[in-house]
Amino acid sequence: MKPLLSFVAYPVSNISVSRRFYDTVLTVEPRAMSDDWIEYDLGDSTFVITRADAEHGTPVRGALVAFEVADIEAEVARLRGQSVAFRGNIVETPVYRFILGLDPDQSEFSFISGRRSPMPRERSNQAMELTATRRMFTFEMTKSPSLRATLALGSGSSSFSR
């Protein structure tokens, strides 16, 4: 069995200030708390803030937590209205749109939106189904039923959809 990501933890210098910040950013109630550990359930994963110590300082280096949101513009506007700092503007990539923000310890976090899985690198391991209708072929990845590619023969056109 492949390992699953259990949680991502950020050490913070002031747990109450950071809790207020992440309560505002995430707009969800924490699940488990102690004086130095606060967990937020986010779908199938968990984000944790914990009190920094000598071995785990702030800002966090070498890690970036990305929170997926449905409407990135609305989230950024909401948080800018509450004086949350962002690095630059929303960036468009082939896989998703994102923006980097800063928490009270200046650790970076990211909002992403419109996440799309990149095409698989090794197609030989992917099972495909082929349907033919009037010179129109539709390929569906059976491991990812939301992924669909359509090719119209003779017309030189093709499309890709989710």
Side-chain angles (χ1 to χ4, degrees):
M1 180 170 91
K2 292 183 181 183
L4 301 174
L5 179 64
S6 179
F7 63 87
V8 172
Y10 265 15
V12 297
S13 59
N14 185 319
I15 200 128
S16 5
V17 168
S18 291
R19 177 180 177 190
R20 280 192 302 276
F21 177 82
Y22 282 107
D23 284 359
T24 300
V25 167
L26 301 176
T27 65
V28 296
E29 288 294 318
R31 175 174 59 98
M33 291 187 292
S34 69
D35 290 342
D36 62 356
W37 187 268
I38 300 172
E39 294 183 3
Y40 296 90
D41 278 335
L42 303 171
D44 291 336
S45 62
T46 301
F47 174 66
V48 176
I49 56 175
T50 185
R51 190 178 315 276
D53 59 29
E55 292 183 29
H56 305 96
T58 62
V60 175
R61 298 278 187 226
L64 173 71
V65 63
F67 302 110
E68 189 167 349
V69 295
D71 185 343
I72 195 168
E73 287 87 359
E75 287 300 310
V76 170
R78 178 181 69 83
L79 292 172
R80 279 192 170 139
Q82 296 181 35
S83 301
V84 173
F86 289 91
R87 292 192 192 270
N89 295 309
I90 297 169
V91 176
E92 185 85 29
T93 76
V95 179
Y96 54 81
R97 301 171 69 216
F98 76 94
I99 190 166
L100 295 176
L102 297 172
D103 77 1
D105 288 309
Q106 303 303 296
S107 292
E108 290 181 336
F109 67 92
S110 179
F111 275 151
I112 67 170
S113 183
R115 183 170 58 154
R116 301 175 290 277
S117 298
M119 290 299 291
R121 292 177 190 222
E122 292 189 32
R123 294 185 184 162
S124 61
N125 293 336
Q126 298 287 327
M128 288 193 220
E129 292 180 3
L130 174 64
T131 308
T133 311
R134 287 189 285 147
R135 298 174 54 175
M136 180 78 70
F137 291 89
T138 301
F139 299 86
E140 291 186 69
M141 305 298 285
T142 56
K143 290 186 178 180
S144 179
S146 64
L147 188 63
R148 172 179 289 188
T150 302
L151 173 65
L153 295 180
S155 70
S157 68
S158 62
S159 68
F160 178 83
S161 64
R162 296 184 147 281

